[in-house]
Amino acid sequence: MGGRHGRQAAPGGQADPGKEYQRACPMVLLRYNPIGSGGGIAQFRRGATSFGGTDTPVEGRDAVGLGAQCAGGRIINLPLVGGPIAMGYNLPDVDELVLDAETLARIFDSRITRWNDPAIQKLNPGAELPPLAINPVHRSDGSGTTQNFQAYLADAAPDVWQHPAEKAWHGRGGSAEDGSEAVASAVNYTVGSIGYFELSYARELGMSTVRIDTGAAQPVAASTTTASAGIATADVIGRGKDMILRLDYQTSAPETYPIVLISYEIVCEKGNLPATLPALKSFLTYTASEEGQEPLSRIHYAPLPESVATEVRKVINTLR
């Protein structure tokens, strides 16, 4: 029994739960297709895969099953992987940098254009900020990372960021690159740049990342621990067995990083393919377990808070 998985992948650190599961259960074959969130959803909806993966939950009409896929049921979203969206930057001799939501919104909308702008200097007293032009780098392709970052800006700085939280980028100015790897590379090689991408890219490149002033006593760095704390602030807003999470982007809890991405596995509430259902439930159960979540932090992704993982495991047991 086996399933094929289409989900967004990032070289050198994207969380692939299938690898760990394959080691634990070599008798089950998983085929991992890194074709992007949109491709994974499309393949699942037409019945080509037993499950799919996406950084943006499937909702509304898109959650209605088609034909033999999810017959008599609907698509539901199960959160299984989380992680911080880091703000990597390239400023020689500036090893630490603090920004808040409003300042980030102005930077990525080209309203703040120099690194020594008074608004940035105020957040970094004592720092010698250069009079360099800021080059904010964003994704040119449709991206769940972009959607989550824009959702943070829209919720945490609503008076400044008035663009929609969509997969397409809506900020003004800056430069664009196709994929997180390209964004990270552009920031790494271009002095004065700042960009958003998964923490794994920053760690691989040895890049400095912004600490976020959330209103807590101390600014919060992007890490697997602080991202897990961010996920713990989320409310489940999906109906029934659907576990779509709504993050609290305005949290000021200590050591809680607010810019978090959650990857969902999409499955059928009922009407899953009978031939692969036992393997599907085995894979999901393992991935949501403590053993399955533990390796994520080693590749800079955030294990689910136990409160969330427990509810996910309950839903997995009911799949049919």
Side-chain angles (χ1 to χ4, degrees):
M1 301 176 187
R4 288 178 293 172
H5 182 204
R7 65 176 301 156
Q8 188 171 3
Q14 171 71 28
D16 178 6
K19 290 182 180 179
E20 297 298 330
Y21 175 76
Q22 201 76 77
R23 294 189 186 101
C25 300
M27 297 300 292
V28 178
L29 174 63
L30 289 172
R31 296 188 182 96
Y32 178 81
N33 299 329
I35 58 176
S37 297
I41 293 170
Q43 283 202 359
F44 177 74
R45 282 178 57 80
R46 67 172 179 263
T49 66
S50 299
F51 63 100
T54 175
D55 294 331
T56 304
V58 179
E59 302 181 75
R61 291 184 178 181
D62 292 336
V64 178
L66 291 175
Q69 187 75 311
C70 299
R74 62 192 300 273
I75 296 172
I76 59 173
N77 302 268
L78 300 179
L80 283 183
V81 178
I85 300 175
M87 301 291 115
Y89 68 94
N90 185 339
L91 280 178
D93 302 321
V94 180
D95 296 328
E96 294 190 1
L97 182 68
V98 175
L99 297 173
D100 59 14
E102 290 193 359
T103 307
L104 279 170
R106 289 189 170 94
I107 287 172
F108 278 91
D109 208 26
S110 297
R111 302 190 201 184
I112 291 177
T113 60
R114 295 276 169 181
W115 280 110
N116 63 344
D117 187 277
I120 302 177
Q121 191 70 68
K122 183 178 179 180
L123 291 165
N124 297 271
E128 294 187 14
L129 298 172
L132 281 172
I134 300 175
N135 176 39
V137 186
H138 60 268
R139 291 277 289 268
S140 62
D141 55 318
S143 161
T145 308
T146 292
Q147 184 167 27
N148 281 274
F149 179 45
Q150 291 189 117
Y152 162 74
L153 295 177
D155 194 72
D159 293 337
V160 179
W161 192 266
Q162 298 183 352
H163 305 296
E166 297 177 345
K167 291 182 180 179
W169 179 253
H170 288 283
R172 293 172 291 190
S175 58
E177 299 289 344
D178 187 354
S180 287
E181 183 176 20
V183 172
S185 294
V187 173
N188 192 47
Y189 289 110
T190 309
V191 173
S193 294
I194 184 171
Y196 60 93
F197 34 79
E198 294 88 334
L199 180 62
S200 57
Y201 291 107
R203 292 292 182 261
E204 282 187 358
L205 295 170
M207 188 185 302
S208 297
T209 59
V210 172
R211 291 185 298 149
I212 304 298
D213 183 346
T214 64
Q218 297 294 329
V220 184
S223 73
T224 58
T225 302
T226 59
S228 288
I231 297 171
T233 68
D235 294 323
V236 178
I237 61 171
R239 64 182 180 87
K241 298 175 183 178
D242 195 11
M243 290 201 62
I244 297 174
L245 300 179
R246 180 173 58 198
L247 294 161
D248 180 6
Y249 293 117
Q250 299 184 34
T251 181
S252 58
E255 292 299 308
T256 301
Y257 191 76
I259 318 174
V260 178
L261 179 148
I262 298 172
S263 288
Y264 296 89
E265 306 299 346
I266 53 173
V267 298
C268 299
E269 179 184 19
K270 59 181 178 179
N272 290 285
L273 301 175
T276 55
L277 179 58
L280 171 63
K281 293 177 74 171
S282 173
F283 164 72
L284 294 174
T285 299
Y286 172 82
T287 307
S289 69
E290 290 185 21
E291 181 182 0
Q293 292 284 305
E294 187 274 332
L296 294 177
S297 59
R298 295 201 295 269
I299 54 173
H300 311 298
Y301 283 79
L304 294 176
E306 184 57 28
S307 58
V308 176
T310 297
E311 294 305 311
V312 171
R313 291 193 290 265
K314 290 178 182 177
V315 173
I316 292 168
N317 287 334
T318 70
L319 299 179
R320 55 190 175 89

